[in-house]
Every structure is written in structure tokens, then in C-alpha cells.
Amino acid sequence: FASQVAIALQQSRLLQEAQQSARQLKILSEVSMAISSTLNLDTALERVMARAVEILHAEAGSLLLMDQQGKHLTFEVVLGPTGNELLGKKIAVGNGIVGTVAQTSEPLIINDVTTDPRWMVAFDQETEFQTKDVLCVPMVAHERVVGVIELINKQDGTNFTQNDTNLLMSFAAQAAIAIENAQIFTRVDKQLAERVQELQMLQMFDQDLQESLKLEDVLNTTLTHTMDALGLSMGVMGVIREGQDTEPGLYLLAQRGMPMEMGRYRIDPWPLSRGILGRVARTGEAELINDITQAKDYVPKTHRTRSLLVVPVKREGRVIGVLNLESTDPNYFTDDDLSFITILVNQASIAIDNARLFDKVTEANNAKSEFMNTASHELKIPMTSIKGYAKLLQMGAAGTLNEKQTDFLNVISNNVDRMDRLVSDLLDVSRIEAGRIRLELENVQIKDVITDVVESVSTQIENKHLHLKLKLDEDLPEIRADYGRMVQIVTNLVSNAYKYTPEGGNITVSAHSQNSGFEGISVTVADTGFGISEEDQAKLFTNFFRSGDQNIRNEPGTGLGLSITKKIIENHGGELSFESELGKGSAFTFTMPLKSKIPPGVEVVER
């Protein structure tokens, strides 16, 4: 009977062990599927630890991950009563039981930790948890320890066995691969997020660069974006300028967080032979210095600087400027910072070069406008004298004139009038370009303007046998405008119509109210003249432009009338448009708002 009982007990034990092994294998399969189904690192770690404790019925457990340098382990997941106290703590590789396992890549069973000097008693003292037995196994992936799993105390009070170690090692091998995959995914995801952030920043940077063509604005925008990207509070940026009589120098036009004395380098250039800033400008090679005390040629701009990053701004192989970034912390800048800032600077170089060219064009335009303004004023004085004395002679102040003398005086008067119109046009152009145009606003009835203009040019129209028609609405409202300028606008359009319309042609001047979407008046001057070619239409409002059509060139003109007319209309808040077909005539239409919509920068005097 005893023998039969022994056999039955043995079979029962074997059955229990088989059932236990089946359960463990089932759990291992479930674990493998569970941890492989996620690429989220935190989720993977929690699943790994929860299943490890479940498989071996442990009271507590920890999962520690190895850092990239392989020097420390960090508690990432802790199950049991010690969780909150241990999370985030670090253990050096080689220290304690888990440190030994990480160093040797071999599992350890300690069934009485009080007898093992490697057990860190401080953990139990801090958490008031009594550790008896420890099973610790490495998680190895591709022959590299990625972490350690540590289980503490079996719930039934029994010791950890070699079977437990084998089971946990199998589990840890699967977990290591899942964790490594999750880490790789996390790193790639982070890198992708950083690249997306960089692209978004570059897009915003590009948009900000396009908002202005002023050099200082472009430099300040670039400096601000680069400093904000790296979290800095000190930086300068400048461009290289070459003087006719001086050596090239670096003008530091954009500065943030710098001492007041650095402001002098906005006007007086920083020499290219001076310091790291000058060397980068000369050589075109970037400098990354994380210990400023080791840079012998560093010229201090502020005593707080500990790290320095200086990047050249290049355009078509030549250095056109320099970006200088400084930090109060040592070892602040990285190679990645240098690469990213270089991308930003390369993107900004086009805008900076364009802004430099725009500055030169602006200076040339200002010089031209100043010359035209001065020349016009100087010409006005002798022309006034010529015109006055010619008028006196025509009136007989020097005696009776014969027919030839009268003809000569008429030629002089006509040419002085022509010169006077040219000088007036030049003055208008210089005032418009310099933003010094002045409008004296009053209530203006457009019918009165058109009547005055038609009366003043009626002789010229009759001499060419042209037919003039007026189509004016009866109830045209008044507008707020400069009466003299309105006369100038209509005169320019009507004079162009009769000059460029052959004898016997038609000129029509029409004016009517507008209410649909725009409250104001619309005036059109149409002719049956030579018309304008499509090629010339694109350049029509350019200063000094004259058509290549010989019919038009035969008529005297400066090429300024239409450009001035368009600017004066726009300065009133109106618009000028035209339609034309070569050989069939042209129609110019301008609109004026009832309520003045004067753009900024126009000087206004209300009358």
C-alpha cells in the first residue's frame, strides 16, 4: 500500500510540475506577445516587470536600465511597497548585487541577503522593507547588457531555485530584445520630432526673413532665432563692409545682451585682425570653444562668457558676415548646435546679401533723388529769369519787335515752359521717392477739375482737329482731395491722349459714381490713338520710360508723367488702371474714394 501511495504521490508531483511548467510556458508566450506588441518604452518596461513578478510569485521586483555609456543602472520600474522611494535612483555598474550582475552578465541567487556583503542595506533602511531572498538576472541583447531584473522574496516563503533562474533568464532574453526595440524606436521618434521641430523653426524663420529688406531687421531676426533656438541671452551679428579708403571691417549691427560699449561697433568697425570674431571673418571657418580660458586670442566682450560659438555667414564662397553666440555656462555648445546654426545661417545668407544690395540701391536712389531735388531747385532760378525777361520782351518792354524776333521769343517761351514742366516732374519724382509729398485736402468737385483741364488744353485739341466728348454724371459727389494735384492727374491723362492720337481722332472723358463695393468716383480718359504694345505695357509706369514706337517717340516727353500720376493717385488712396490695344487706342481709368484713405507717410494738410 505504501509503495502504491509513493507512486501516486510521485505522479501527483510530476503532474503539478508539468502543470506549473505549462502555466509558465503559457505566461512566457503571453509575455512575449504582450511586450512585442508595443514600441512605447514605458509601456514595455511596465509589462516586463509585471509579468516577471507574476511568473515567480515574488513579493517585489525592480527593473533597472543601463545608460548609454554603460556606467550606471537606473531604477525605471519598481513593484512593491518600495516603488516611490527607489524610482530614478542610480547604481554604479560593479556595485551591489545588481551592479555585479550588470558587470558580469551572469545571474545571481542570494537566498539570504544578510550573508552577502554586496547587498545594499541602505535600501531596506530607507524603505522599511525586509529583503530576504534576491534573484537577479541580466537582460542581454546582441551581447550587450541593456538592464537588470531583480525579484525579491517569494510570496510562499520558499527560496529561489535554479529552475526559477532558468525561467527568468528566458523571460529576460525576450524582454531585452523588446526593450532594445522600444529604445531604438524612442530614439528614432525623438530624432524625427527634433527634425520636424527644426523644419517648423526653419519655416517660421524663413517667413520672418521675408518680412523686411532692411539689413538691420534681417540681422536682428537671424540673431533672435538662433539665440532662442539654443536658449541664449548673449549674441552679436555683423556684416563685412569695405570702405574706399579704409580696411574691411565688421559692423556689428545686431546685438543682444551685450554691454553698452559694444554699441560703438555699429558705427566703427570691429577690425578683422582682432580676436576670434575677426579670425572667423577672415578664414571662413567656424569656432566652437567650450572653455574660453583656453582661447588665447579671445577678446572679452563681457566678463560672464564661458563658452563661445562663432559661425561665418557665406554667400557664393565669400564671407559676408559673422554670427557670434556666447553662454555663461562652460561646455554649453555641441557639434549638433554648430550644425543646426550653420543651416540657419546658410538660409539667412541669401536674405542678408539681398538686404545689403537693397541698402546700396536705396543709398543710390536717395543720392539720385537728392541730386534731382537740388538740380531742379537750381534750374528753377535761371528759368524764372529767362521766362520773366522773355515775357517782358513780348510785352514790348524793350521796344517794338519784328516778326522774326517775335518768333524767336515764342520758341524761347515754349521751350522754357517745357523745361519748367520737366523740372516740376523731377521735383515730384524726388519728393515721391523721398516720401516728402504733401497733399492739401479740400472738398473737390471732379466736374470742376475736368472743366478747368479741358479749357486749358482746348487749343491743342483744336489744332489737331480732334473730337472731344464729355460724359459726366449729373450728381457726382464731392471727394476729399488736393485740387491742384487732381488737375495735374487729369491734365497728364488728357495731354497724353491728344499727343498720341492722330488728327481727326476721338477723345472721351467720362466720370461717374461708384457704389458697389467701393464708394467713390471713377474717371476714364479714352482715345483712338496709337495704343500701347504688350511689351511696353509692362514698363508703362517706370520712371523715364519711353515707348519704342516711333509714332510715340516723335512726340516730346520725359517718360515721367504716368509714373507721377499713378503715385499721386495712390497717395490719395485711389487706383489707376488701363486698357490698350496697339493701333486702336487706350483708356486710362482712375478711382478716388469719397472718404480719404491716405496711406501712411504722406503729409496731409486739411483745408
Side-chain angles (χ1 to χ4, degrees), residues 166-197:
N166 295 339
L167 179 63
L168 194 57
M169 283 292 288
S170 299
F171 171 77
Q174 296 180 34
I177 294 171
I179 288 172
E180 189 177 51
N181 289 341
Q183 286 177 326
I184 293 171
F185 175 79
T186 302
R187 283 196 298 271
V188 172
D189 190 52
K190 182 181 177 183
Q191 290 170 355
L192 285 174
E194 289 173 352
R195 296 295 84 77
V196 169
Q197 187 177 4

Side-chain angles (χ1 to χ4, degrees), residues 56-248:
L56 296 179
H57 306 289
E59 289 184 359
S62 306
L63 189 151
L64 300 88
L65 285 186
M66 184 82 76
D67 64 8
Q68 290 293 322
Q69 292 74 32
K71 294 182 178 180
H72 290 91
L73 295 162
T74 304
F75 282 92
E76 296 291 345
V77 181
V78 182
L79 299 182
T82 62
N84 294 333
E85 289 83 356
L86 291 179
L87 275 178
K89 287 196 173 184
K90 295 182 183 298
I91 295 177
V93 172
N95 287 354
I97 294 173
V98 291
T100 302
V101 169
Q103 187 178 51
T104 62
S105 301
E106 297 292 335
L108 275 178
I109 298 177
I110 312 293
N111 277 322
D112 184 2
V113 293
T114 58
T115 63
D116 196 310
R118 292 171 296 186
W119 176 245
M120 296 181 175
V121 228
F123 285 151
D124 281 352
Q125 292 172 348
E126 289 177 12
T127 59
E128 297 182 359
F129 179 80
Q130 186 60 46
T131 302
K132 297 176 183 177
D133 307 324
V134 171
L135 171 58
C136 195
V137 300
M139 292 188 291
V140 181
H142 303 104
E143 300 182 354
R144 184 179 71 87
V145 175
V146 298
V148 172
I149 295 176
E150 177 189 52
L151 296 181
I152 297 174
N153 303 346
K154 276 194 170 183
Q155 293 178 10
D156 59 7
T158 59
N159 292 337
F160 290 111
T161 65
Q162 186 59 44
N163 285 339
D164 295 334
T165 303
N166 295 339
L167 179 63
L168 194 57
M169 283 292 288
S170 299
F171 171 77
Q174 296 180 34
I177 294 171
I179 288 172
E180 189 177 51
N181 289 341
Q183 286 177 326
I184 293 171
F185 175 79
T186 302
R187 283 196 298 271
V188 172
D189 190 52
K190 182 181 177 183
Q191 290 170 355
L192 285 174
E194 289 173 352
R195 296 295 84 77
V196 169
Q197 187 177 4
E198 286 177 6
L199 288 173
Q200 290 174 340
M201 186 180 297
L202 286 171
Q203 186 179 17
M204 291 175 58
F205 179 46
D206 193 49
Q207 290 173 352
D208 289 345
L209 284 177
Q210 294 175 17
E211 289 183 359
S212 177
L213 273 174
K214 292 183 179 178
L215 181 58
E216 285 199 31
D217 290 347
V218 173
L219 293 175
N220 277 307
T221 297
T222 305
L223 181 62
T224 300
H225 273 273
T226 53
M227 290 178 65
D228 290 348
L230 299 187
L232 299 170
S233 59
M234 297 186 298
V236 296
M237 190 169 189
V239 290
I240 297 173
R241 287 178 178 165
E242 299 180 2
Q244 293 181 348
D245 304 319
T246 58
E247 290 292 323

Side-chain angles (χ1 to χ4, degrees), residues 464 466-469 492-502 504-510 524-532 552 562 578-589:
K464 289 189 72 173
L466 300 173
H467 305 288
L468 176 64
K469 295 179 183 178
N492 280 345
L493 296 179
V494 173
S495 64
N496 278 349
Y498 73 69
K499 278 198 300 185
Y500 303 125
T501 300
N506 297 319
I507 297 174
T508 304
V509 180
S510 57
T524 300
V525 178
D527 62 59
T528 57
F530 302 125
I532 307 164
I552 295 175
L562 280 176
F578 73 94
E579 293 179 357
S580 184
E581 187 175 348
L582 192 61
K584 294 186 179 181
S586 305
F588 286 82
T589 301

